[in-house]
């Protein structure tokens, strides 16, 4: 059984059909790379998975449990959505760190809010608060070490390079232990010399068998790291397959044209 099943997702913005009928599956431990021209709907798809947009139709199923189903009679509350969103982590193109907080605070903020909410909802006993907070702190130290930024825990985002900020954003997303980690063009806002350090971290995560969805323009990276590749064009999955199938043997004319154009720019 697939960890993630996306079925017949459609999303319109006004009259524009941005996602036309998107279906795919992802197994635990797999890395899916999504490629495609600007405007093809890649970001909207990630935003739908992360509840930042609500699809008009379709369903999203994680571990056999629907996290979204347009046909479901029951509508989710804000609280349900906050819980359901935790299945996914999202690393944005533009890092989106909280500028007023240190690196360490950026990584621990959301898990600490989660503890506060659990105490309020009485799913966590107030006497266990300190143990829970210590666990969050220890995990943050571990994650910052993993992304190579232990020394920067007290720094503020403005004191870091773009590559360092993006590595903090990755640690921050992992702090909530998402089952599926999504990246939206994680290196496209970086100078070329900073791209490698971020791709290296993502590659290490792939080697740890994390389940990930990476929207990227880095074709070499997609080819080397992905188990599955989706090429999106005009809101549809134009082609889907292994990296060998999509990159070396593209069936669709649109995929071939896109890959040829991408190669020209390198
Ligand atoms: N909030 C929005 N309101 C209206 N149109 C949007 C919105 N977000 C995205 N779009 C449109 O949806 C299309 C797909 O955008 P996007 O998902 O960002 O594509 P990609 O990430 O592949 O570049 C574009 O035509 C874009 O203008
Ligand atoms: Mg985008």
């Amino acid at each position: 059984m697939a960890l993630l099943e996306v079925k017949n997702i459609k999303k319109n913005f006004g009259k524009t059909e941005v996602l036309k009928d998107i279906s795919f599956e992802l197994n635990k431990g797999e890395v899916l790379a999504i490629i495609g021209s600007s405007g093809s709907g890649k970001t909207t798809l990630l935003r739908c998975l992360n509840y930042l947009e609500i699809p008009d139709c379709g369903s999203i199923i994680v571990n056999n449990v629907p996290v979204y189903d347009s046909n479901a009679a029951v509508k989710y509350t804000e609280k349900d959505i906050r819980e359901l969103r935790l299945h996914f982590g999202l690393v944005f193109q533009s890092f989106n760190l909280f500028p007023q907080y240190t690196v360490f605070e950026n990584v621990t903020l959301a898990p600490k809010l989660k503890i506060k909410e659990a105490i309020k909802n009485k799913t966590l006993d107030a006497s266990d608060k300190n143990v829970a907070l210590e666990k969050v702190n220890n995990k943050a130290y571990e994650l910052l070490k993993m992304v190579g930024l232990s020394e920067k825990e007290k720094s503020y985002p403005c004191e870091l390079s773009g590559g360092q900020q993006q590595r903090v954003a990755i640690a921050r997303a992992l702090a909530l232990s998402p089952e599926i980690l999504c990246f939206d063009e994680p290196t496209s806002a970086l100078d070329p010399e900073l791209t490698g350090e971020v791709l290296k971290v993502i590659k290490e995560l792939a080697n740890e068998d994390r389940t990930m969805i990476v929207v990227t323009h880095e074709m070499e990276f997609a080819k080397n790291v992905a188990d599955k590749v989706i090429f999106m064009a005009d809101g549809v999955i134009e082609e889907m397959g292994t990296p060998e199938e999509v990159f070396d043997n593209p069936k669709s004319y649109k995929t071939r044209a896109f890959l040829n154009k991408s190669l020209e720019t390198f």
Side-chain angles (χ1 to χ4, degrees):
M1 183 194 76
L3 172 65
L4 170 67
E5 296 166 74
V6 173
K7 293 184 183 168
N8 308 107
I9 290 290
K10 293 184 187 170
K11 177 73 186 168
N12 293 355
F13 287 116
K15 288 208 173 83
T16 320
E17 292 179 83
V18 174
L19 299 177
K20 288 176 186 162
D21 190 11
I22 301 289
S23 301
F24 66 89
E25 292 187 350
L26 191 61
N27 293 320
K28 197 168 165 28
E30 277 183 341
V31 178
L32 165 68
I34 303 181
I35 58 172
S37 311
S38 182
S40 57
K42 307 179 298 297
T43 296
T44 305
L45 175 58
L46 286 191
R47 288 175 62 84
C48 284
L49 295 177
N50 286 273
Y51 265 98
L52 297 170
E53 302 288 353
I54 304 295
D56 298 321
C57 288
S59 59
I60 299 167
I61 299 159
V62 179
N63 263 332
N64 235 359
V65 178
V67 298
Y68 177 75
D69 184 352
S70 59
N71 291 321
V74 187
K75 289 290 166 237
Y76 294 124
T77 64
E78 278 290 315
K79 184 168 159 278
D80 294 334
I81 290 179
R82 276 205 299 279
E83 282 290 314
L84 292 167
R85 193 178 267 152
L86 294 173
H87 289 292
F88 294 90
L90 180 57
V91 175
F92 299 88
Q93 183 172 3
S94 50
F95 331 136
N96 291 12
L97 296 177
F98 305 111
Q100 71 275 38
Y101 294 128
T102 64
V103 163
F104 190 76
E105 288 164 344
N106 264 279
V107 178
T108 54
L109 188 71
K112 286 184 178 171
L113 285 175
K114 212 174 128 193
I115 291 173
K116 215 169 156 184
E117 189 161 307
I119 292 173
K120 199 173 123 207
N121 298 331
K122 302 206 184 326
T123 50
L124 179 74
D125 197 273
S127 63
D128 293 331
K129 183 179 162 187
N130 286 341
V131 176
L133 287 176
E134 200 182 318
K135 265 195 195 159
V136 166
N137 287 342
N138 288 339
K139 183 157 189 186
Y141 290 126
E142 213 177 278
L143 288 169
L144 286 173
K145 191 171 161 202
M146 189 199 77
V147 299
L149 290 171
S150 295
E151 271 99 80
K152 298 285 182 192
E153 62 168 277
K154 293 194 176 70
S155 302
Y156 286 86
C158 63
E159 299 170 314
L160 304 180
S161 73
Q164 289 171 332
Q165 288 188 53
Q166 192 59 305
R167 286 187 280 144
V168 176
I170 295 172
R172 179 178 63 173
L174 289 170
L176 286 169
S177 307
E179 280 169 283
I180 301 162
L181 186 58
C182 304
F183 294 86
D184 191 5
E185 299 190 30
T187 60
S188 59
L190 298 175
D191 292 334
E193 70 271 22
L194 300 178
T195 303
E197 65 189 58
V198 172
L199 294 182
K200 184 168 161 261
V201 170
I202 303 175
K203 209 168 183 170
E204 280 163 9
L205 293 172
N207 291 339
E208 285 175 11
D209 280 345
R210 299 238 180 211
T211 314
M212 299 195 286
I213 301 178
V214 189
V215 171
T216 186
H217 287 301
E218 300 284 340
M219 296 302 152
E220 261 320 294
F221 174 77
K223 203 171 168 177
N224 292 334
V225 175
D227 299 291
K228 200 180 247 182
V229 179
I230 283 177
F231 168 64
M232 279 184 72
D234 304 321
V236 300
I237 295 181
E238 177 73 17
E239 189 147 353
M240 172 159 53
T242 63
E244 292 74 26
E245 285 164 348
V246 175
F247 288 109
D248 301 338
N249 259 316
K251 288 187 190 67
S252 130
Y253 166 76
K254 279 189 187 170
T255 318
R256 284 198 297 274
F258 173 79
L259 291 173
N260 283 339
K261 213 164 123 219
S262 301
L263 286 175
E264 272 170 28
T265 55
F266 284 107

